[in-house]
Each structure stands twice: as C-alpha cells, then as structure tokens.
C-alpha cells in the first residue's frame, strides 16, 4: 500500500500491489477525481478491511475537519450505499470485515467525544454508541494494537489518559478499561502474546514499561518490564511478533 502524485494532480493517488512492488498496480482511491468541483477537499483517513476487499475513507469538503465516511468495494470498484454523515478522521475495522469503529465529534466544540460502530449494510442512524466520555477535558479516539488483536479506545487530557479494549474478533463486546484514569497518570498500550505492554509515567517521570495480563485490569495486577531511568526518556513502545 502506498500513495503517489501524478504530475498534473494536486491530490494523492492511493494504490496497492499484490505480493510485491513488481505486481500490477491497483488504484484504490484517486483523490483528484473526488476533489473535482470542490473548492476545498481533503481525505483525512482511509482504511482497508482485514480481508482486503473494502475501503473506508473520510472526506471533508468544508475545512472544519468534520468528515463524511464512504465505503468502496475494491473488487467491483463501486461505492456502497453506506454513508456516515459526520465523524473525525479516525476509524478502524474489526476482524469480521463488516464492522467499523469511528470517532464522533461535537459539532459545536469540535471535541471528539464518543466512539460509534457501523455495520456494512445498515443505515448510519442505526450505528451503535460504543463509548462516550462526558468529561469535556478529554479527547477520544480509537486505535488498534500492532498485533491486530485488539481495538483500543483512548481518552486523553493534558496530563491524564485512559485506555479500554475490545477484541477485534468480538466487535459486539463492551469495552473494558485497562487502567482506570487518575489525574497525572499518562499511559499508552500495545499488545503481545498474553500481555498488554503499558508505557506509563506512574512513579516514573521519564516513563517506564509495565506488563499486564490481558485477562486482568488495574495497576494492582501489573508488573515492571522495563524500569524507569532518570537519564533516558521513553517516548513510545511497539510490540512486534518476534522478540
């Protein structure tokens, strides 16, 4: 998967090649064609379903970062009837290849405050509210573990964060909080094997890495994986398949 620009084009062309870069190019989205006739146009996000068949993308034609979502069948090249009128440029697929989780924005404050899920074939009015943060100091978004096994719902404020998870093969499950929010506690999460790996500033101004079994929650159940070091700042952590 990659993007490129044509000499006469102002917008990116998103493409893919099967197997290797020597394969035939397949254009999955030509933003130049979509932008024709619009004074402003932006594709803020695009995501392909795990089986490679469907493309979900978010487009803004106004400039307020309020996006409409569209869905394209990459086998036929046709747009599906599904359309979500308003959201942010943030969406993730579940493993069933038909459920998409996306972030909802307050149209007055522009705060991303909730996560909904849409199932292909349903009307957007039938979309289900999965999570809502009523604290207006927190911003909400949905991510995915590098392992592709878990969806993460994150609520973040200036100095505080909280993560919940949903298994990607159980899109109808309710979100489970990993570490309940505490003011001043900032953390992020990835997954490997039987554990969540948590980058945390708990008792660690430069952050440390903690490990928590996926079937347990709360700081009382985690263990230290990489200790805090006063001379080293840990900025991020990714968990790869091979250790």
């Amino acid at each position: 998967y990659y993007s490129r620009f044509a000499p006469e084009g102002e917008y990116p062309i998103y493409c893919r090649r099967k197997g290797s870069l020597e394969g035939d190019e397949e254009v999955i989205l030509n933003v130049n064609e979509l932008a024709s006739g619009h004074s402003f146009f932006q594709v803020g996000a695009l995501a392909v379903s795990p089986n490679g068949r469907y493309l979900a993308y978010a487009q803004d034609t106004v400039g307020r970062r309020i996006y409409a979502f569209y869905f394209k069948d990459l086998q036929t090249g046709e747009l599906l009837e599904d359309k979500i009128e308003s959201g942010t440029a943030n969406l993730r697929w579940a493993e069933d290849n038909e459920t998409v989780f996306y972030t909802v924005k307050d149209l007055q404050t522009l705060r991303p405050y909730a996560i909904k899920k849409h199932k292909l074939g349903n009307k957007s009015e039938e979309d289900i509210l999965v999570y809502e943060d009523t604290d207006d100091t927190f911003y909400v978004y949905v991510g995915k573990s590098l392992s592709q096994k878990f969806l993460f719902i994150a609520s973040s404020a200036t100095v505080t964060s909280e993560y919940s998870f949903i298994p990607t093969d159980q899109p109808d499950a309710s979100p489970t909080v990993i570490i309940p929010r505490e003011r001043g506690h900032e953390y992020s999460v990835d997954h490997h094997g039987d554990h969540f790996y948590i980058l945390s500033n708990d008792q660690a101004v430069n952050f440390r890495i903690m490990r928590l079994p996926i079937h347990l929650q709360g700081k009382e159940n985690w263990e230290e994986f990489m200790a805090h070091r006063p001379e080293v700042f840990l900025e991020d952590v990714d968990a790869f398949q091979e250790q």
Side-chain angles (χ1 to χ4, degrees):
Y1 288 84
Y2 59 95
S3 62
R4 60 176 175 83
F5 285 84
E8 70 282 2
E10 183 179 354
Y11 298 92
I13 301 170
Y14 294 97
C15 311
R16 66 181 180 183
R17 296 175 187 263
K18 189 173 182 179
S20 73
L21 286 176
E22 281 65 52
D24 294 335
E25 181 180 82
E26 176 187 357
V27 174
I28 61 175
L29 196 69
N30 187 335
V31 184
N32 297 286
E33 295 175 355
L34 296 177
S36 178
H38 295 281
S39 58
F40 175 89
F41 195 90
Q42 182 181 44
V43 170
L46 69 166
V48 177
S49 61
N51 64 1
R53 176 168 180 176
Y54 298 109
L55 171 70
Y57 64 94
Q59 69 177 46
D60 175 15
T61 59
V62 178
R64 297 192 72 213
R65 297 182 182 178
I66 300 173
Y67 295 85
F69 293 94
Y70 294 87
F71 299 86
K72 182 178 180 181
D73 187 334
L74 296 179
Q75 285 188 1
T76 66
E78 300 296 324
L79 282 181
L80 304 184
E81 294 184 2
D82 303 60
K83 181 184 178 183
I84 300 169
E85 295 290 346
S86 177
T88 74
N90 176 224
L91 69 160
R92 295 291 186 274
W93 286 91
E95 286 300 303
D96 64 358
N97 299 294
E98 60 181 21
T99 305
V100 172
F101 291 75
Y102 63 97
T103 307
V104 179
K105 179 179 287 190
D106 185 296
L107 298 182
Q108 297 299 318
T109 66
L110 302 183
R111 178 178 75 96
Y113 73 96
I115 304 296
K116 286 187 174 182
K117 63 181 176 183
H118 174 80
K119 182 162 287 191
L120 293 184
N122 290 352
K123 296 181 179 179
S124 60
E125 294 82 5
E126 300 171 349
D127 290 355
I128 295 173
L129 179 66
V130 177
Y131 176 87
E132 181 178 4
D133 200 318
T134 57
D135 188 332
D136 61 10
T137 65
F138 280 78
Y139 284 61
V140 176
Y141 64 95
V142 59
K144 211 172 191 179
S145 65
L146 199 58
S147 67
Q148 307 296 304
K149 299 293 185 182
F150 293 97
L151 292 156
F152 291 132
I153 296 174
S155 282
S156 298
T158 304
V159 295
T160 308
S161 52
E162 181 181 75
Y163 278 71
S164 303
F165 73 88
I166 297 174
T168 54
D169 61 355
Q170 301 174 40
D172 294 330
S174 298
T176 300
V177 175
I178 298 174
I179 305 292
R181 68 183 65 177
E182 299 176 19
R183 179 162 179 80
H185 184 206
E186 299 176 69
Y187 73 93
S188 59
V189 183
D190 206 350
H191 161 254
H192 184 278
D194 296 327
H195 293 85
F196 291 127
Y197 287 79
I198 301 170
L199 182 68
S200 167
N201 73 341
D202 179 70
Q203 302 179 50
V205 65
N206 279 345
F207 289 80
R208 57 178 176 159
I209 300 175
M210 308 300 290
R211 187 168 69 174
L212 178 70
I214 61 176
H215 65 281
L216 298 175
Q217 292 81 49
K219 291 194 296 185
E220 64 272 15
N221 294 305
W222 70 8
E223 63 180 1
E224 190 170 74
F225 180 77
M226 182 177 290
H228 173 261
R229 289 173 289 173
E231 73 280 7
V232 177
F233 177 75
L234 297 180
E235 186 171 354
D236 199 4
V237 59
D238 288 317
F240 290 90
Q241 183 174 355
E242 301 296 332
Q243 294 187 350

